[in-house]
Amino acid sequence: MRILAAMSGGVDSAVAAARAVDAGHDVTGVHLALSRAGGTLRTGSRGCCTIEDAMDARRASDMLGIPFYVWDFSERFRDEVIDDFISEYQAGRTPNPCMRCNEKIKFAALLERAIELGFDAVCTGHYATLIDGEGGLELHRASDNAKDQSYVLGVLTTEQLAHTYFPLGTTPSKAIVRAEAAERGLTVAQKPDSHDICFIPDGDTRGWLADKVGAEQGEILDRSGSVVGSHDGAHAFTVGQRRGLRLGVPADDGKPRFVLEVRPVSNTVVVGPKEALAIAEISGERYSWAGAAPVAAEFECHVQIRAHSEPVPARATVSDSGVTVVPEVSLDGVAPGQTAVLYLGTRVLGQFTIDRTVSAVPVGA
């Protein structure tokens, strides 16, 4: 196949491209410039898409003897990922920018251009596997459960899966990938993995959001509606947060309180006991299937609400109004805006953005 290898400048994408070459494919490397004013250097494991990352990707491509290009996707990244991140917080939701980047950039914008240029598939260093099932191509978890990235790939559609290539999915561990990179002479063999939000390299999400959306004082309420404190901007709070609440009125039982809800319209934050974070039901209108859609309107599955959280047995119902999931045990600290990914064993069935949650602990209970 003609393969376009998305090369971030890290070890995973470099080894993935190398394996594509070894498999006999016609491989071209590409690095995505996602910022018009990208930083020059990384700081340890913080940040990505820097000039240093682009140079690392170029050096890896040179070692592999493949053509290499840098494509400017900064405008689309700003519109589809950064602006979406800001607007979601303004609406009181908790977005996942990595999920949105996969959906809108790596497997939409990049894949669209790749197909236009005659490539058969886009290769990435994600840890996930593709399997030919009875109903067609299926997305499954990686062999290395600790590195599994199938959750953030849950947004991929059947058509996108048909043009993707994940050479690392069956690798037993990340240590093997690093050892392989060192053996191949790739300079990124011991390069730290990037983490946090790539466009907020210093990790100060609260400060970054305050600069983008402004800070306006508001009230912190308990579940009964009584004022128990104040804040400098609702955008700085997320469901499940305990620290930094600055509450002036202690709880009746003396126990810590947690953020239960963010209400952007009234610029208020609702807090309550930890047990009130338990969620008995989640639902969402925006959903997609990674492969063949479930045949039945109701089905048993597992639901995962964070990239590295444990999947929970659940029952899902699909209707004209979207997807509703009732877990066997309550989910903890779920916020609107998060992504729920549905699994059947190791297979990713699909995903939906959580719009509504139902507490397992009614007010006053």
Side-chain angles (χ1 to χ4, degrees):
M1 295 189 296
R2 287 194 67 205
I3 297 289
L4 185 66
M7 304 185 71
S8 66
V11 63
D12 292 327
S13 59
V15 171
R19 291 185 181 182
V21 172
D22 289 350
H25 299 299
D26 179 6
V27 181
T28 296
V30 62
H31 178 80
L32 302 184
L34 301 180
S35 172
R36 288 287 175 89
T40 302
L41 301 173
R42 286 162 53 97
T43 302
S45 58
R46 289 194 182 278
C48 70
C49 312
T50 63
I51 295 174
E52 177 187 353
D53 291 317
M55 294 305 296
D56 284 341
R58 179 178 293 278
R59 280 189 287 268
S61 296
D62 290 343
M63 287 288 297
L64 299 175
I66 62 174
F68 176 79
Y69 299 91
V70 175
W71 288 356
D72 182 1
F73 276 26
S74 58
E75 186 172 338
R76 185 154 179 177
F77 183 78
R78 181 199 63 208
D79 293 343
E80 302 278 13
V81 180
I82 298 178
D83 288 352
D84 174 80
F85 182 82
I86 295 170
S87 63
E88 285 291 280
Y89 263 101
Q90 288 176 315
R93 295 188 287 265
T94 302
N96 186 323
C98 295
M99 187 79 77
R100 206 60 59 229
C101 184
N102 282 334
E103 178 186 17
K104 300 294 187 179
I105 305 299
K106 294 176 183 174
F107 297 97
L110 177 61
L111 185 55
E112 289 165 8
R113 185 177 295 185
I115 293 174
E116 288 175 359
L117 294 174
F119 289 95
D120 300 300
V122 166
C123 165
T124 72
H126 285 99
Y127 287 78
T129 56
L130 293 173
I131 296 175
D132 284 318
E134 293 183 3
L137 201 60
E138 298 175 354
L139 175 64
H140 284 255
R141 292 190 185 277
S143 298
D144 181 4
N145 194 55
K147 291 297 296 181
D148 174 58
Q149 293 175 297
S150 60
Y151 173 87
V152 295
L153 297 171
V155 290
L156 300 191
T157 64
T158 302
E159 177 64 21
Q160 290 169 333
L161 290 176
H163 296 284
T164 57
Y165 184 42
F166 302 129
L168 305 187
T170 57
T171 306
S173 74
K174 178 66 173 274
I176 292 175
V177 172
R178 290 196 180 279
E180 181 178 331
E183 185 177 340
R184 291 177 181 274
L186 296 172
T187 59
V188 294
Q190 298 305 319
K191 185 175 181 178
D193 293 336
S194 60
H195 63 76
D196 292 330
I197 301 171
C198 68
F199 51 86
I200 311 178
D202 64 1
D204 182 14
T205 303
R206 178 180 293 195
W208 188 89
L209 281 168
D211 181 61
K212 299 296 181 183
V213 305
E216 182 181 350
Q217 275 202 332
E219 296 176 335
I220 299 178
L221 313 175
D222 64 16
R223 298 185 86 195
S224 68
S226 298
V227 178
V228 295
S230 63
H231 63 76
D232 294 325
H235 66 271
F237 296 86
T238 57
V239 171
Q241 179 178 333
R242 173 187 173 185
R243 298 184 183 279
L245 300 185
R246 299 184 308 172
L247 302 179
V249 180
D252 292 338
D253 58 8
K255 294 182 179 179
R257 284 176 289 194
F258 298 75
V259 174
L260 305 180
E261 187 180 352
V262 178
R263 299 172 177 171
V265 175
S266 59
N267 193 33
T268 54
V269 175
V270 180
V271 299
K274 184 176 183 180
E275 51 267 27
L277 288 169
I279 297 298
E281 180 180 302
I282 57 176
S283 60
E285 298 179 3
R286 295 169 291 172
Y287 65 91
S288 63
W289 304 114
V295 176
E298 294 188 23
F299 54 90
E300 303 295 327
C301 61
H302 279 72
V303 62
Q304 186 171 330
I305 58 170
R306 298 181 185 88
H308 301 294
S309 64
E310 288 294 321
V312 175
R315 184 165 187 80
T317 302
V318 184
S319 66
D320 292 339
S321 60
V323 180
T324 298
V325 171
V326 178
E328 286 188 7
V329 295
S330 299
L331 301 172
D332 185 33
V334 185
Q338 287 180 239
T339 301
V341 176
L342 306 182
Y343 288 84
L344 186 62
T346 62
R347 182 193 167 192
V348 176
L349 293 175
Q351 61 80 38
F352 65 92
T353 300
I354 300 171
D355 295 324
R356 186 177 65 90
T357 63
V358 177
S359 176
V361 182
V363 176

